[in-house]
Amino acid sequence: MKLLVLRLSSMGDVVLTTPFLRALRRRFPEAEVHFLTKPLYADLVATHPAVDRVIPFDASLPLSQTGRFLRRERLRHHLRPA
């Protein structure tokens, strides 16, 4: 199973997802956890032990191109923290 976490807004919001990432890993220990965020924030989660892959979001590309990429990667499970 692949899980996708989306967090595109502020640096603080990205940092505040770290408890969620730990909980996600505990709940789905065998899942691949992918994190989609702006390139500016990628380093904040790149070394997090619960994140298997960081996907930089290029806002200059059409959103449909990002959607096609995610479908090709079979990243259809979208979870987001409350």
Side-chain angles (χ1 to χ4, degrees):
M1 174 186 345
K2 293 182 181 182
L3 302 174
L4 178 63
V5 178
L6 306 169
R7 183 57 20 188
L8 299 173
S9 57
S10 70
M11 180 187 310
D13 287 347
V14 172
V15 171
L16 288 173
T17 63
T18 57
F20 172 75
L21 294 170
R22 284 191 300 275
L24 193 62
R25 177 58 70 200
R26 278 193 306 273
R27 175 68 175 93
F28 302 101
E30 301 301 319
E32 289 181 35
V33 177
H34 300 249
F35 198 107
L36 179 77
T37 191
K38 292 178 182 175
L40 179 64
Y41 308 136
D43 287 344
L44 296 173
V45 292
T47 59
H48 193 286
V51 175
D52 296 300
R53 180 179 180 195
V54 176
I55 302 169
F57 175 71
D58 187 348
S60 68
L61 298 175
L63 190 54
S64 61
Q65 187 170 340
T66 301
R68 281 192 299 276
F69 169 78
L70 295 175
R71 280 189 297 280
R72 279 194 313 272
E73 294 292 313
R74 295 180 175 233
L75 291 169
R76 295 186 181 147
H77 302 275
H78 302 282
L79 299 175
R80 100 181 171 189

